[in-house]
Structures are given as structure tokens and as C-alpha cells.
Amino acid sequence: MASPALSPLPPGSDATALLRGLPDPVFWLSGPPGAEQLSGNPAAEKQFPLPDGLPADGAASAPACWAAFAPDLAAALQAAARQAQSGTASSGAAGGWAFDALPAEGGVWLRLRPAPPAPPTATAEEQLDLLFTVFERLGTGLVLQDEALNVRRANGSAARTLGLDREQLRGQGSVPGDWELRRPGKHQLSPEETPAQRALRTGQDETDMRLGVLRPGAAHWRWLSVGALARRPGDPWPPGVLLVLRDETAEQRVREELRRSEQRYRSLVQASAQIVWNASNEGEFRVPQPQWEAFTGQPPREHLGGGWLRAVHPEDREATEAAWLRAGRRREPYEVRHRLRRHDGVYVPMLARAVQVGGEEGQAPPEWIGTHSDVTLQDATERALQTLNTNLQLQVAEQTQTLGEVSRFMALLLTSAGEGIFGLDRDGNNTFVNPAASELLGYSVSELLGEPSHAKLHHHHADGTPHLLSECPISQTLRDGQQRRVEADVFWHRDGHPVPVAYVVTPTLDERGEVEGAVVMFQDVSEQVRAHAELEDALHHLQLTNADLEQFAYVASHDLQEPLRTLGSYAELLARRYQGQLDARADQYIAFMLDAVERMRSLIQDLLAFSRVGRNELELGEVTLDSLMQQTARNVEAALESSGGALTWDTPGTVLAQPSLLVQLLTNLVSNGLKFARPGVPPAVEVVSSIVGNEQRIEVRDNGIGIGSEYHERVFTIFQRLHLREEYPGNGIGLAIARKIVAAHGGSLTLKSQPGEGSTFIISLPADHAAKVGGHQ
């Protein structure tokens, strides 16, 4: 049976004959929705025959009338027909056909024509060519690698970035075996961790990885920003990885130069003996100040804002604030001398200087950069050499006035520093010299720059003997990278005389951590050397005087014994014979006499003990601290029982000492702790020991009345008492003997105490021996 066809167009219309002759399919649609009837011209019957099994007589009925069309075309034609039935013409395309739907009386005309072919799409190879062309015009390297990471294609920018030509690149592996790769910060990179390997392995893109590349024979590292694009469906390149390269060598060199500049500044600050700080224009610390915190003990919560002023002595705060306001108002360098509280509570004389940094003309500067310099030694020199010190102060003031405003912070610090500063390269040649160094050594800056520092400034010792380069501390630092501090040496002035100096040499390191130079900061210590010599002479005379005084005290106290014994004997005879036989006043006088004799005897005995300490050579032996504490405990048994107090100790270790003197020392300190107890509080004394560095430290702690910080040194002075004899008995000589015993053993005795919080006496002795011994009670 032949395939069914659509019914011919209905007769009775002039257009019907015309439409039958058209080469394009034309349909007439009539009937209500859901019961449509469709007729077609011969072109329609030929292009759209009904499928087998449908009726062929008459017009095809719905929904069979749409079966001649592909589903997408049928759906589009039905939608267009419904719109035309409502009186609106419509057009469209589907299934490779364009169509029009025109409303007519009693039905709808549908005309179809083949849709024009779509424009051809670019091939993958053409897309890839375009991609390489675009990246070449952008100056960005592009490299195509296959799944074995062999280079299949590269643009000219990639070849120039890697320092090769395209022929050398083609067929090359991902990373040649003799190339070096590394990440910033000296991290060596293995070939397995390259962006191409990672993208191929994970299937994920790697973007903007910074890599250093060093080819064999190349003089410098080349730094690249590398991206690796893993292939995905639809990408125009074959299986493999597409690398994007950008040369960042110039940017990396700028970063390295900035890093080295910052490192030189940090080395300079660390080598400085000053406290360096920065503050706002209002005189507030806005960020933590580590050097300030280390010196004063103020944590950030205390020194931030204006809290730093609380570390200044109360008597100096008003002048400090006035100097700050004056400097800010006049836009001049800030300079003031005041006393600054150290972390141990001692006030240290300081010279504070600061200058403005940043800010445009007519505007307030954003911050101040300043330093605090310890002027204790200078003050001591002032007392000895007042005239010379006045001249020195005038020179410092003149130098301060000549400081100009500079834009760079490091140049500002170099210029404002009072110490001489010069920098060296790894060969020992001068790379920079600050004005102070130029003035102290008599050379102009230009005469020193580029010259070998050792041959120019450090060629001989003070006695005129040659100073070998191999023995020079500065040259040693350039070799081994260790910071060195030299307290006594000489640099040579331009006119040929030696300048006594103390200096610190600090290495500077390159990106590999290797020494690339050094910074030397030095001070002219001529005045200090002269003052030290005078102080040594005065100390020698003082030692002779002390020896004479000790001899006098020993002889005087010894000779006073005989008349005191006679006076005491007769006073006791009077008391025994006449006690109660005379009037009450006579008995009282006799009692006063006996008490005075007893106090005089005690004073003489203490004075003898004080004079004996240090007169004879010590008989040293190795002794355990535990055995010393056991003897001490026996010595204070009566005091413990009468006071109801407690003594505990944990004293491991040994010392090299004369045992009898240390037992006397510990007994004295423990007895003090039991004697000076708070009312109503049973006394408690604890003794502990530990090794601190190369010292054996012994701490004697009590819970007594405590001592104010202003008396911490006074209590060690002979015959100095802080309380009436009626409150706490004693002659005020025990702690003086204790400190003398410790000094005779080469150690020190210090005190930490606050009123009402007890006292801690700290004994520091050379730790020649140490052993672990269990604690005792």
C-alpha cells in the first residue's frame, strides 16, 4: 500500500491554483482547536507525507494531521497556528524549516521554506591560533604541553621569558634536569611540584605561582608568575596543559631591595644601645614598643596611649610634657633630659630625642621617631670633669640643631644618631658613613666611601703594633656572620692619632642567609677612658683608706674590750652589793649602767665580727647547701620556738666556700626573717636555691613587715636601723656583715621587698659545682 498523503488544497480560490504551483510547502489549516484539519499543496505532500497506517482519504484529522512533521516542528507550527487563529500573524523556525502563519477567513495559511544554513564555526586549531596570537600581542608567554609535558607549541613571549628560542623550546620536557627552580624565601622546588605537574595530576588549574628559574650558565635568577590550565571538555587544545608565563624579574628585584633595606635598618636598631620608639603627633604610643617594654617593664596595656609618661619620674613629667608641646608647636626636634624608671624600679637618667617624620608643608606630621639614651656614665663624667662636659653639651646641641628633615626614615635615623655608624660590603669596603662617624674620625664622607675600612681606620693597635686583618673582629664578623661587641679598641683619625672607641659590628644577610656586609656602630670613649683612669685611681686610694679603717676598727674594738670588762665588773659588783640598799633612783641608775655595758659589749662584738670578715684568706672547700641549712636550722632553734615560726628549705647543689662564714650568713638572714614579723602573723622563712647561668642563686624569703624600696641599699650600711631598738632589738650591723661575707666569696647580695609583703634576700655565688640534693623541712 502506498504511503498516505495530505489532502489537496481546497478549491474555490484564485490563490489555490497559484499556491499549488509554488516549490515551497503550503498548508491550509481549518477546524476548531483539538479537531483541526490540514490540507497541503503538492510540495507539501512531497516533503511531509503522512506515516503509514493513517487515513489517506480527505484531510488528515487532529492529532494525526501533525504526524507528518518532526515533533519540534509540529509543536512550533501548532503554537504559531493558535496565534494566527486569534488574528495575529507569526513567524518562526524549527527542525531546519522557517515558517509563516497567516490568519484567513475560516482558517490559517501555513507556509514553510528551508531555513538558511548556520554559519560555519571555527575549528579547534583556528581557536588555538587565535589564543596564541592574542597572548603574543599582550606580551604574555603561552606554552602548550602534551600529557607527557613535552612542549608542543610556544609563542615568542614565552621563549623570551625563558631565555630560549622557540625551536629550543619545542619538544623540551617540562623542566630540564639541569635547571634550578625555587619559590620565594629560598624554598627549593622539585619538578613534581611545578604548576604543570600539579595541574596534570589534579585536573585543577594552578594560578599565579611565583617561581625562580636559573638556567646553566645564566648569571641571575629569572622570576616568573606561572599559571597552568588543565584541559576541560570544549577547550581548543589537545590533551595536556596550557602554561601562562609572565616575567616578574624586575618586580622581584625591587622586593629584594626593599627587604635588604628593611634588614639593614633592623640591624642598625638592634645594634644601637638606645631605646628606639615612635609616637603620634599627640605624644601617644599607638603600637607596642618592644625596646621600651624591655627597659621599663611596662606591658603594652600600660604604655599605649599616654601611659608611657608614668615611667618618667614624677618630678620630671611636667618638663617632659612642656618640651613635647614646644617641639610640636615650633616644628623643631624634641629633646629633654629626665629620669626613666627601669623594670627593677631604679630611675635612670636619660636623654630623649625625637624628630618629625612625614607630613606635608603646613600639615601636622603623622608621627615622631625618637630615642632614649642612658646618660648615667655621662653624668658621672660631668661630676668629675664639669668644664669639658659643658663643651660637650654645647657640641651635642649644635649637632642637634643641624639635623634637617629628611624623607626617608633610615637616613633620618643615621643622621640623628650620636654614635658613629658606617656600613661595609662583604669585602670590607665602606658603603655608607653617617655624619657623626665623619666628624669623629676627621674624614669627609667622600674620603671614606668605597675605601677598605680596615686599611683606612683599623690598621694598628693603640700601642702602634700592626692590627692583622685576620684578627680584626669586624673582618671576623664578615666571615662568620656573628655579631660582636668590643668595649675597648681604637680607630685611627685622619691626622694620625688613635681614637679610643667601643663598637658593635652586626652582619647583614642576603636572601640566601649569607653574609653580604656589616653595620658598625661606635662611640668615642676618650672621656670615659680618662674618667675611668681617674676613678681607678680614686678606687685605689679608697681601698687603702678602707684597709686603714678596717685595721682601726679591729684595733679599737679589741682595745675597748678591757676597759669595758672593768666597767662591767664593777657595775655588777655594785648591783650585787647595793641592790635594794639605796633608794629606787640608785637602783634604776645601776640598771641603766648594766644595760649600757651589755649593749656596748654587743656592739664591740659585732664590730669585731665585721672587721674580721675579709681580713684573712678564705679556707675554701666544696660544701653542699643542704648541710649548711641543717647547721643554720640548729642555730635558730631557740628563735623558732620562741616566735612560733617555721623554717623550710629546698637547696640542691654545692658551692666552693668557707662553710663557717656561709652558716653565719644564712643564720643572720633567717634570724632577720623570724625577728621582723608582722604583728599577729607567725613568721615563716623559706630558703631555695637554683642554678642561673653560671651562678648559684640562694633566695631567703620571709612573710614579715617588708622594706620600702628607698631603703633597699641603706639596710646594708653598718649601724643603719629602720626601727627603734624597743620595737626590734639589734645593732644594725648584721646585714652589713652578710653582704661583706658574700662579697668575700666573689658574689652579690641584693634585696626585693615591699612594705607589708615580706622580703626576699638574693645571694648570687659563682657556680663552680652543682649537684642535685633533695629538699628538706
Side-chain angles (χ1 to χ4, degrees):
M1 182 176 63
S3 298
L6 294 173
S7 298
L9 291 173
S13 172
D14 293 338
T16 298
L18 179 61
L19 292 174
R20 285 180 179 148
L22 288 177
D24 294 332
V26 178
F27 296 92
W28 170 257
L29 180 68
S30 61
E36 300 97 330
Q37 292 183 349
L38 194 63
S39 302
N41 68 353
E45 295 179 22
K46 181 178 180 181
Q47 292 290 337
F48 300 100
L50 286 171
D52 293 341
L54 293 178
D57 53 334
S61 60
C65 65
W66 301 107
F69 306 101
D72 57 341
L73 179 58
L77 289 173
Q78 290 182 68
R82 283 194 293 272
Q83 186 173 348
Q85 288 171 343
S86 65
T88 303
S90 67
S91 300
W97 292 89
F99 57 82
D100 299 303
L102 304 174
E105 185 177 352
V108 174
W109 290 105
L110 296 175
R111 178 187 178 186
L112 286 76
R113 58 190 180 279
T121 59
T123 65
E125 185 66 25
E126 291 171 335
Q127 295 180 42
L128 192 60
D129 289 341
L130 178 61
L131 188 63
F132 270 78
T133 300
V134 170
F135 273 78
E136 179 66 31
R137 293 177 63 183
L138 292 174
T140 301
L142 201 62
V143 178
L144 176 62
Q145 294 177 277
D146 60 20
E147 292 179 296
L149 293 183
N150 294 317
V151 175
R152 295 307 178 198
R153 184 171 180 176
N155 67 358
S157 294
R160 289 189 296 274
T161 298
L162 295 174
L164 302 172
D165 58 42
R166 279 188 276 188
E167 289 303 319
Q168 289 175 309
L169 270 176
R170 189 173 295 113
Q172 182 66 264
S174 176
V175 179
D178 54 354
W179 286 30
E180 291 186 49
L181 297 179
R182 73 178 185 192
R183 297 293 302 278
K186 301 177 291 186
H187 175 65
Q188 200 73 21
L189 192 70
S190 66
E192 291 74 17
E193 290 301 314
T194 61
Q197 286 278 16
R198 292 167 62 93
L200 190 63
R201 186 169 61 250
T202 64
Q204 300 296 320
D205 295 342
E206 294 287 332
T207 59
D208 197 23
M209 178 184 289
R210 189 175 298 120
L211 292 179
V213 178
L214 183 64
R215 295 189 298 107
H220 302 287
W221 285 82
R222 189 181 294 272
W223 288 93
L224 312 176
S225 173
V226 182
L229 306 180
R231 188 181 186 278
R232 296 190 177 124
D235 285 339
W237 62 84
V241 178
L242 194 65
L243 289 184
V244 181
L245 309 176
R246 189 168 65 85
D247 191 339
E248 289 190 351
T249 304
E251 292 91 329
Q252 183 67 16
R253 287 175 181 167
V254 172
R255 294 189 194 100
E256 288 299 322
E257 183 58 33
L258 289 174
R259 186 194 65 78
R260 283 194 293 270
S261 177
E262 180 182 6
Q263 188 178 46
R264 285 195 292 269
Y265 163 68
R266 291 186 181 278
S267 298
L268 176 63
V269 171
Q270 291 172 0
S272 174
Q274 300 170 325
I275 304 171
V276 182
W277 46 266
N278 65 297
S280 68
N281 195 47
E282 292 74 28
E284 297 181 345
F285 288 171
R286 296 289 175 81
V287 296
Q289 311 288 332
Q291 288 184 304
W292 181 275
E293 181 177 348
F295 184 86
T296 65
Q298 280 188 314
R301 67 176 181 275
E302 292 183 13
H303 69 60
L304 288 180
W308 63 269
L309 192 60
R310 289 192 289 272
V312 176
H313 194 285
E315 296 176 1
D316 299 338
R317 292 174 187 171
E318 183 177 351
T320 298
E321 289 185 291
W324 183 272
L325 293 173
R326 182 171 58 254
R329 184 174 61 254
R330 298 179 181 178
R331 302 292 176 83
E332 63 185 15
Y334 164 73
E335 180 176 328
V336 70
R337 291 172 69 98
H338 55 216
R339 290 162 287 179
L340 190 65
R341 187 181 67 243
R342 202 166 56 200
H343 56 79
D344 57 2
V346 176
Y347 281 96
V348 178
M350 287 281 185
L351 174 62
R353 290 175 176 162
V355 290
Q356 300 171 350
V357 176
E360 301 297 333
E361 186 69 25
Q363 298 180 1
E367 63 177 345
W368 291 71
I369 305 301
T371 61
H372 268 70
S373 302
D374 185 345
V375 292
T376 304
L377 184 58
Q378 289 89 325
D379 286 351
T381 306
E382 287 172 5
R383 291 190 292 269
L385 306 168
Q386 187 63 43
T387 303
L388 292 178
N389 188 64
T390 300
N391 294 335
L392 179 62
Q393 288 179 340
L394 291 175
Q395 292 175 9
V396 171
E398 291 173 359
Q399 291 175 1
T400 304
Q401 292 299 321
T402 61
L403 294 177
E405 292 187 4
V406 293
S407 58
R408 301 186 59 190
F409 177 78
M410 184 175 177
L412 173 64
L413 187 59
L414 287 174
T415 304
S416 62
E419 294 91 347
I421 303 169
F422 58 87
L424 306 173
D425 60 20
R426 67 180 63 195
D427 297 322
N429 298 319
N430 293 318
T431 57
F432 65 85
V433 180
N434 78 332
S438 172
E439 182 176 352
L440 290 171
L441 299 175
Y443 289 95
S444 67
V445 173
S446 61
E447 288 177 313
L448 290 176
L449 288 178
E451 294 292 322
S453 177
H454 185 81
K456 198 84 170 178
L457 307 174
H458 210 196
H459 42 79
H460 283 76
H461 294 288
D463 59 4
T465 59
H467 195 167
L468 299 179
L469 184 63
S470 59
E471 299 174 355
C472 172
I474 298 173
S475 297
Q476 291 172 355
T477 291
L478 289 173
R479 290 195 298 271
D480 61 23
Q482 299 298 315
Q483 185 185 72
R484 286 176 169 82
R485 184 181 296 272
V486 178
E487 299 297 338
D489 204 342
V490 295
F491 289 157
W492 289 86
H493 197 273
R494 189 177 188 276
D495 62 11
H497 73 266
V499 179
V501 295
Y503 63 86
V504 176
V505 54
T506 303
T508 57
L509 308 178
D510 61 15
E511 67 276 5
R512 298 185 180 183
E514 299 175 356
V515 178
E516 67 174 2
V519 175
V520 180
M521 176 176 289
F522 69 93
Q523 290 180 315
D524 181 350
V525 294
S526 302
E527 299 301 328
Q528 291 90 323
V529 169
R530 188 174 304 143
H532 181 72
E534 293 183 4
L535 290 175
E536 287 288 338
D537 186 58
L539 179 61
H540 176 68
H541 289 296
L542 181 61
Q543 289 173 339
L544 294 177
T545 303
N546 283 343
D548 292 341
L549 288 175
E550 287 182 0
Q551 181 66 24
F552 170 77
Y554 178 79
V555 172
S557 59
H558 186 273
D559 291 346
L560 286 174
Q561 297 269 14
E562 183 59 32
L564 182 63
R565 279 195 293 269
T566 302
L567 179 61
S569 297
Y570 281 106
E572 291 175 359
L573 285 174
L574 283 173
R576 285 198 300 269
R577 177 168 296 185
Y578 297 106
Q579 188 75 34
Q581 299 182 22
L582 303 175
D583 58 14
R585 179 169 295 178
D587 290 344
Q588 186 180 30
Y589 290 163
I590 293 172
F592 286 161
M593 186 185 305
L594 289 172
D595 182 62
V597 168
E598 186 58 34
R599 285 192 288 111
M600 187 64 181
R601 182 180 292 113
S602 174
L603 280 171
I604 292 174
Q605 292 297 329
D606 285 347
L607 187 59
L608 274 172
F610 182 77
S611 65
R612 289 192 186 103
V613 176
R615 287 180 56 82
N616 301 319
E617 184 124 354
L618 296 179
E619 297 178 2
L620 299 178
E622 186 177 342
V623 58
T624 64
L625 294 176
D626 185 68
S627 64
L628 296 177
M629 282 306 304
Q630 292 177 6
Q631 296 180 54
T632 301
R634 290 193 290 271
N635 291 346
V636 298
E637 281 182 356
L640 286 169
E641 184 175 350
S642 63
S643 65
L647 170 63
T648 59
W649 69 90
D650 180 10
T651 52
T654 63
V655 290
L656 195 65
Q658 182 168 318
S660 60
L661 289 179
L662 285 197
V663 170
Q664 181 183 355
L665 164 68
L666 292 169
T667 300
N668 193 318
L669 297 179
V670 172
S671 298
N672 267 8
L674 297 174
K675 179 169 65 175
F676 293 100
R678 287 180 286 168
V681 178
V685 180
E686 178 187 18
V687 184
V688 297
S689 68
S690 61
I691 295 292
V692 180
N694 59 352
E695 292 183 338
Q696 178 70 260
R697 180 172 294 180
I698 307 168
E699 296 188 6
V700 182
R701 308 166 183 163
D702 65 56
N703 64 340
I705 59 177
I707 302 171
S709 60
E710 64 271 27
Y711 303 117
H712 282 185
E713 283 301 315
R714 178 179 168 185
V715 295
F716 293 107
T717 305
I718 188 170
F719 297 136
Q720 292 296 316
R721 297 177 51 85
L722 303 183
H723 306 280
L724 296 176
R725 192 182 304 275
E726 290 76 9
E727 295 178 309
Y728 297 99
N731 296 320
I733 198 171
L735 290 179
I737 294 175
R739 176 168 275 188
K740 198 170 183 183
I741 290 173
V742 176
H745 284 81
S748 63
L749 175 61
T750 56
L751 168 64
K752 290 196 306 185
S753 182
Q754 290 293 335
E757 298 180 5
S759 301
T760 298
F761 289 89
I762 303 170
I763 306 166
S764 297
L765 297 173
D768 294 302
H769 302 278
K772 291 186 178 179
V773 180
H776 295 270
Q777 294 189 10

